[in-house]
Amino acid sequence: MDQKEEKKRLRTRLLRLRETMDAETVRRWSRAVTETLVDLESFRRAGTVFFYLPFRNEVDTWDAIRFAWQAGKRVVVPKTDPKTKTMELYAIHPDTPLIEGAYGILEPPEEPGRCVIPAAVDLAVVPGVGFDEKGYRLGYGGGYYDRFFSGAGAGMIRVGVAYPFQMVETVFPEVHDQRMHVVITPERVWHCADVSDL
Ligand SMILES: Nc1nc2c(c(=O)[nH]1)N(C=O)[C@@H](CNc1ccc(C(=O)N[C@@H](CCC(=O)O)C(=O)O)cc1)CN2
Ligand SMILES: Nc1ncnc2c1ncn2[C@@H]1O[C@H](COP(=O)(O)OP(=O)(O)OP(=O)(O)O)[C@@H](O)[C@H]1O
């Protein structure tokens, strides 16, 4: 089997495992990940944090988002453009009305001229279908985060969040894949890239 086929099978297998999780397990593991995340030195120091808004049993980021607001941080989330496979970032507040955008993921409404430049973001909390110990990430195959991190979003600290079963031996990385600096699972933190002050 070639690498492309292996990667596709791994994606299907991991997505199936995540789909079959019960709500209580999603809550319990998300809470454990959140506690570790908000305690990271790089998170405490961050003024602006790029979160994703969870869908389909992804690690729930809402508690961490509320924590960030309470700590006075700026919270930004992506608005995706499926035509160009790119993301723009918008700041959200507790009262920002969110709408279902591409793929049924909640997004802030479009506000021309109000998007936040990626260079202003200190840390990104990154969703994934799977991760490996080197910090490589398997996503839905759209290349959104790879494109973002290899371009304007290059400077921020990248923190992947995952359930235990999403941490695998290898995600069959390709040359364009951008590594995470840190991956957090409910039971531990994986320091993947050389960032001196994490
Ligand atoms: N919460 C969250 N937001 C996110 C991501 C994510 O993984 N999670 N993304 C991370 O990249 C981007 C959206 N990427 C996505 C890419 C494809 C599909 C998707 O549903 N794909 C179809 C496959 C066929 C198709 O292209 O339509 C599928 O899986 O059924 C979903 C999200 C940006 N926002
Ligand atoms: N920096 C980039 N510039 C242009 N195309 C890219 C870049 N990074 C990735 N791509 C393209 O995007 C496609 C999907 O990449 P990949 O399979 O790694 O996505 P993924 O990381 O699983 O998805 P996502 O980030 O959306 O969750 C690939 O065909 C790749 O060629």
Side-chain angles (χ1 to χ4, degrees):
M1 202 183 340
D2 68 4
Q3 173 149 322
K4 222 181 159 121
E5 190 59 30
E6 297 231 50
K7 191 167 162 169
K8 236 176 91 183
R9 286 203 186 185
L10 178 65
R11 183 181 282 124
T12 306
R13 183 171 72 79
L14 292 177
L15 281 174
R16 196 169 297 145
L17 283 172
R18 203 179 69 191
E19 266 164 37
T20 58
M21 288 173 72
D22 61 83
E24 172 53 25
T25 308
V26 171
R27 265 199 300 276
R28 186 161 40 86
W29 277 342
S30 295
R31 202 177 306 132
V33 168
T34 299
E35 279 168 15
T36 305
L37 170 66
V38 302
D39 204 35
L40 273 192
E41 184 62 28
S42 50
F43 183 91
R44 290 162 173 271
R45 277 198 224 158
T48 299
V49 182
F50 167 20
F51 286 98
Y52 64 90
L53 296 178
F55 84 135
R56 298 185 188 159
N57 281 353
E58 284 175 328
V59 172
D60 193 324
T61 49
W62 278 109
D63 281 341
I65 289 172
R66 283 186 282 266
F67 183 99
W69 277 329
Q70 269 161 21
K73 301 180 193 300
R74 178 163 62 159
V75 170
V76 305
V77 300
K79 193 171 175 62
T80 55
D81 183 344
K83 285 203 288 293
T84 56
K85 297 263 170 70
T86 56
M87 302 189 276
E88 280 196 325
L89 308 183
Y90 287 91
I92 61 164
H93 306 276
D95 57 356
T96 303
L98 299 170
I99 49 177
E100 266 192 24
Y103 313 110
I105 302 172
L106 285 179
E107 291 186 344
E110 175 128 37
E111 291 180 88
R114 296 294 306 272
C115 64
V116 172
I117 56 165
V121 176
D122 301 300
L123 183 143
V125 179
V126 185
V129 175
F131 294 92
D132 65 28
E133 291 180 27
K134 293 201 178 86
Y136 286 109
R137 165 182 172 276
L138 175 70
Y140 279 99
Y144 282 94
Y145 278 90
D146 289 326
R147 218 168 272 115
F148 181 81
F149 289 135
S150 69
M156 61 191 76
I157 294 169
R158 314 197 272 256
V159 181
V161 289
Y163 301 117
F165 64 83
Q166 291 180 299
M167 206 66 194
V168 296
E169 178 86 27
T170 178
V171 296
F172 308 103
E174 297 173 67
V175 283
H176 61 259
D177 282 323
Q178 304 293 315
R179 288 164 67 191
M180 302 296 108
H181 297 104
V182 178
V183 179
I184 301 174
T185 61
E187 68 262 278
R188 63 162 289 186
V189 180
W190 309 78
H191 291 276
C192 310
D194 257 348
V195 179
S196 54
D197 60 356
L198 289 174

